[in-house]
Amino acid sequence: IYRTNRKLRIGTLGAVDVYYKGQEFIIRAIKKMREKGVDFEYLIIGGGDTSRLSGVAKDCGVEDLVQFTGPLPHDKILDTIDKIDIYAQPSLQEGLPRSVIEAMSRGCLTIGTKVGGIPELVYPEYLFKKGDVNSIASILEHITTDDLKNQAVKNYNAAKDYDVNEL
């Protein structure tokens, strides 16, 4: 298990009251990691009613690790992405997610589901089946300092292939 002197921060961008965005699966994986003695903070960026996800966090006993930013202007979103270590796109359905490319362009290690355009963007070892909390936890458990560094460079370079303004 990767350990550091601070909690690693996971982030997801998306409406918080849209079930198919899948944030609850990251929350449940954070619970599994806490049970193994490792805490991850989870920053959920986006508007909407937080009551369902807040309830999931409370039921999992990780409400102290989950933060909701509410909606942010685009420049603040990028500033916020700069403060996370791992970007997660746990969607149950998706197109080619602009938020994944933006997180990659900011040097974030990125994990995501095997749906829509996500597998085109995310390295295979960081993909999981939709809703598979055990796989998410396993990926988080095995991330090393070298992975964070290497993926930052790889993702930054890969994101250059996309013009975010055209997505």
Side-chain angles (χ1 to χ4, degrees):
I1 295 175
Y2 174 74
R3 295 181 192 269
T4 181
N5 59 355
R6 68 170 178 85
K7 294 177 187 102
L8 289 181
R9 183 176 283 173
I10 303 167
T12 297
L13 177 62
V16 299
D17 53 359
V18 176
Y19 174 77
Y20 66 80
K21 288 297 182 184
Q23 299 102 323
E24 80 170 82
F25 305 114
I26 301 297
I27 294 169
R28 294 183 189 287
I30 288 171
K31 174 189 179 196
K32 287 188 170 290
M33 293 306 300
R34 175 168 264 182
E35 290 167 354
K36 293 181 180 200
V38 179
D39 282 341
F40 287 82
E41 293 179 342
Y42 186 32
L43 192 60
I44 303 175
I45 307 162
D49 180 2
T50 63
S51 59
R52 183 181 67 82
L53 291 176
S54 293
V56 171
K58 185 174 183 178
D59 290 347
C60 289
V62 296
E63 65 272 22
D64 60 313
L65 301 175
V66 178
Q67 294 177 293
F68 299 93
T69 68
L72 298 174
H74 193 259
D75 63 321
K76 296 288 186 202
I77 289 172
L78 295 178
D79 289 344
T80 303
I81 289 172
D82 287 343
K83 296 175 184 160
I84 64 173
D85 303 294
I86 301 163
Y87 183 79
Q89 191 73 37
S91 305
L92 301 177
Q93 62 187 43
E94 194 65 69
L96 187 69
R98 174 183 174 155
S99 57
V100 169
I101 296 167
E102 288 179 336
M104 290 170 61
S105 77
R106 307 307 274 195
C108 291
L109 184 148
T110 305
I111 66 173
T113 48
K114 298 177 182 179
V115 301
I118 297 171
E120 292 177 45
L121 301 170
V122 176
Y123 283 84
E125 60 268 35
Y126 301 111
L127 291 171
F128 50 89
K129 291 180 183 174
K130 58 185 177 182
D132 189 343
V133 173
N134 290 328
S135 288
I136 298 166
S138 179
I139 290 168
L140 293 175
E141 180 177 359
H142 292 97
I143 290 173
T144 66
T145 304
D146 285 342
D147 292 333
L148 292 169
K149 291 175 185 174
N150 294 336
Q151 286 298 304
V153 173
K154 288 179 181 180
N155 285 346
Y156 175 79
N157 288 325
K160 291 179 184 178
D161 292 338
Y162 297 89
D163 182 345
V164 175
N165 295 321
E166 292 182 17
L167 294 176

